[in-house]
Amino acid sequence: MRRQLNAIAGWIIRNRSQLPTWVNRALDSAARDPDGLIGRLAHRALGGGEAPITDIPDAPVRVFIGPTNYSGQGYRWARALETAAPDLRARNMEIVLPIGFSFPADTPVPVASTSSSEWTQAEWDAVRQFSHVLIEAERPLFGRLFDRQVSAEVTALEEAGVSVAFLSHGTDIRNPREHARRTPWSPYPEDPRTEVLQADADANLELLTRLRRPTFVSTPDLLDDVPWGIWCPVVIDIDRFRTDRPAMAREHVRVIHSSSSAVQKGSHLIEPALAPLIDGGAVEYELITGVSSDRMPGILADADIVLDQFRLGSYGVAACEAMAAGRVVVGHVLPDIRARIAAEIGMPLPIVEADPDTLRAVITALIEDPETARAAAAAGPRFVEAVHSGARSAEALLNGWIRTSD
């Protein structure tokens, strides 16, 4: 039930600009009238209450990132920028769902507060004093202050002298129709959200194309959807996931798969593929769901092989965390994406390739050749140190936007 409520609330946040006027008016009225019955229910469901305002740092270059902070990335990009540029200070803002995952954020704002005229005006007054604003996932920053229209926010920010850029995260810009042509394992149109995701991606691409501001993407596959984009890699806290526990050093190989979306990751395809290995005792398999992020280092340290995803043809935060832990990571990454990474980074992506048809054979081969498996595991920490420690992400943002707008 919590996951269903989270999905509903998340859909409302992403699509408020597309909802009927009367629905938005009802939501706004509920948020403004917390003493009424509907208002009390809305504020309780959406986490209403006092909301912080982003503080304005004292620095010549001030970067604001918001409003999604998916997997804590807005916060980590902000810290990466501060580490890379001594004259720069950054802040991130996250519109927080009360039943969502908890990630660090400089300014965590309950979603109900985005309908508060007091909060939206105060946040606007603060953000307009930044020198740079990075808009995540093409989502509005200031609630109903500009009628939840991102283009109107961009105009207002630029009139205030702010340089604006965009950063696309995933389903906000991934074109389901085109993705289904790239890999037979695409989750589209099986994903019941396909029609909504297609409309969202189409609208967001139109916005990005029309405004044509500096645009970044968090995973390399999204460059297929935004050809003029710049890859700004996801960032993880590598030290949190380091472990001295070796992979592939026990009698029974422990295989895990962490899933927040079965249809997107292909979670339901894994156990049938591995059934003979599980039944025969060659592997111990566990599906990990609903686990808080603070437990993941221990869970990964106790695994030998981590199965990432088998439908999207790329990789993200979860795979990076598993690589940082020195685990054997197995997943489906399209050949052109692997080639793109190797060309840009100068080193291969150390995720062992498999799709649902080949997964059993790949895992069997890893079990039978533990030295090869351990070599793949050892390559993981080196790769994330080079690509996902924050330095490369900061370089992308600085060279592709911030320094060019000085």
Side-chain angles (χ1 to χ4, degrees):
M1 178 61 71
R2 287 172 64 86
R3 184 173 296 174
Q4 292 172 330
L5 289 173
N6 191 36
I8 293 169
W11 187 91
I12 290 172
I13 294 169
R14 292 191 300 272
N15 296 279
R16 281 204 64 172
S17 63
Q18 302 173 36
L19 293 175
T21 301
W22 69 269
V23 174
N24 276 309
R25 284 177 178 170
L27 290 169
D28 290 339
S29 296
R32 290 195 303 270
D33 182 21
D35 295 327
L37 175 60
I38 295 177
R40 291 198 304 271
L41 291 173
H43 264 55
R44 181 173 181 180
L46 299 179
E50 294 296 323
I53 305 301
T54 298
D55 72 284
I56 305 164
D58 182 13
V61 181
R62 301 174 299 281
V63 180
F64 176 90
I65 303 173
T68 61
N69 197 39
Y70 295 141
S71 298
Q73 288 306 296
Y75 180 84
R76 299 208 179 280
W77 284 319
R79 303 291 80 76
L81 281 170
E82 291 180 329
T83 299
D87 62 340
L88 181 154
R89 291 293 178 269
R91 298 291 184 269
N92 91 295
M93 181 269 283
E94 176 185 359
I95 296 176
V96 180
L97 294 172
I99 49 178
F101 293 104
S102 177
F103 294 102
D106 294 317
T107 313
V109 179
V111 61
S113 297
T114 64
S115 292
S116 161
S117 58
E118 292 80 9
W119 177 82
T120 55
Q121 184 63 54
E123 184 70 357
W124 159 250
D125 289 340
V127 175
R128 67 187 297 185
Q129 298 181 62
F130 280 71
S131 59
H132 296 75
V133 167
L134 182 63
I135 300 176
E136 296 178 281
E138 304 82 48
R139 306 302 182 217
L141 297 169
F142 308 109
R144 61 192 183 92
L145 185 63
F146 295 93
D147 293 326
R148 305 184 190 280
Q149 299 299 312
V150 174
S151 58
E153 294 183 344
V154 171
T155 298
L157 286 165
E158 291 182 339
E159 288 177 351
V162 179
S163 175
V164 178
F166 290 95
L167 196 151
S168 298
H169 275 276
T171 54
D172 58 293
I173 200 63
R174 184 178 292 112
N175 186 319
R177 183 173 51 251
E178 295 301 321
H179 190 271
R181 297 189 180 109
R182 293 177 194 139
T183 171
W185 299 108
S186 174
Y188 313 111
E190 180 184 336
D191 191 323
R193 306 170 301 164
T194 296
E195 185 175 342
V196 171
L197 293 175
Q198 184 69 62
D200 195 31
D202 288 344
N204 289 334
L205 182 61
E206 188 280 330
L207 174 75
L208 295 177
T209 303
R210 172 164 45 88
L211 297 183
R212 209 54 179 258
R213 301 303 188 268
T215 305
F216 301 87
V217 297
S218 63
T219 57
D221 59 301
L222 297 179
L223 294 173
D224 290 332
D225 299 288
V226 189
W228 68 90
I230 299 170
W231 181 25
C232 176
V234 298
V235 179
I236 66 166
D237 182 352
I238 297 173
D239 289 337
R240 284 187 64 224
F241 295 93
R242 295 189 197 275
T243 177
D244 294 330
R245 187 177 300 175
M248 307 298 290
R250 65 184 107 191
E251 182 178 356
H252 297 288
V253 174
R254 178 167 170 75
V255 180
I256 68 169
H257 170 65
S258 177
S259 179
S260 57
S261 176
V263 70
Q264 288 276 313
K265 285 199 164 189
S267 309
H268 57 299
L269 304 173
I270 292 173
E271 200 159 342
L274 297 185
L277 299 179
I278 298 170
D279 294 342
V283 301
E284 299 173 357
Y285 173 70
E286 183 177 0
L287 172 64
I288 310 294
T289 60
V291 172
S292 60
S293 60
D294 61 334
R295 290 183 54 199
M296 284 309 298
I299 289 172
L300 291 172
D302 194 39
D304 295 299
I305 297 174
V306 177
L307 307 181
D308 185 35
Q309 59 76 35
F310 298 92
R311 308 199 74 173
L312 292 176
S314 189
Y315 75 105
V317 172
C320 292
E321 292 173 347
M323 285 189 283
R327 305 301 95 180
V328 184
V329 184
V330 179
H332 172 47
V333 181
L334 289 166
D336 61 324
I337 306 303
R338 289 182 180 273
R340 183 177 298 162
I341 294 166
E344 180 162 337
I345 305 302
M347 58 193 305
L349 175 68
I351 295 178
V352 178
E353 177 59 35
D355 61 41
D357 279 349
T358 63
L359 180 58
R360 184 189 310 165
V362 168
I363 297 300
T364 299
L366 290 169
I367 294 171
E368 293 176 348
D369 186 1
E371 288 303 317
T372 297
R374 282 192 281 269
R382 295 193 295 270
F383 184 85
V384 293
E385 184 69 47
V387 184
H388 299 285
S389 63
R392 187 173 291 270
S393 309
E395 180 182 10
L397 293 169
L398 290 168
N399 294 339
W401 167 43
I402 296 173
R403 286 175 179 154
T404 61
S405 64
D406 289 345

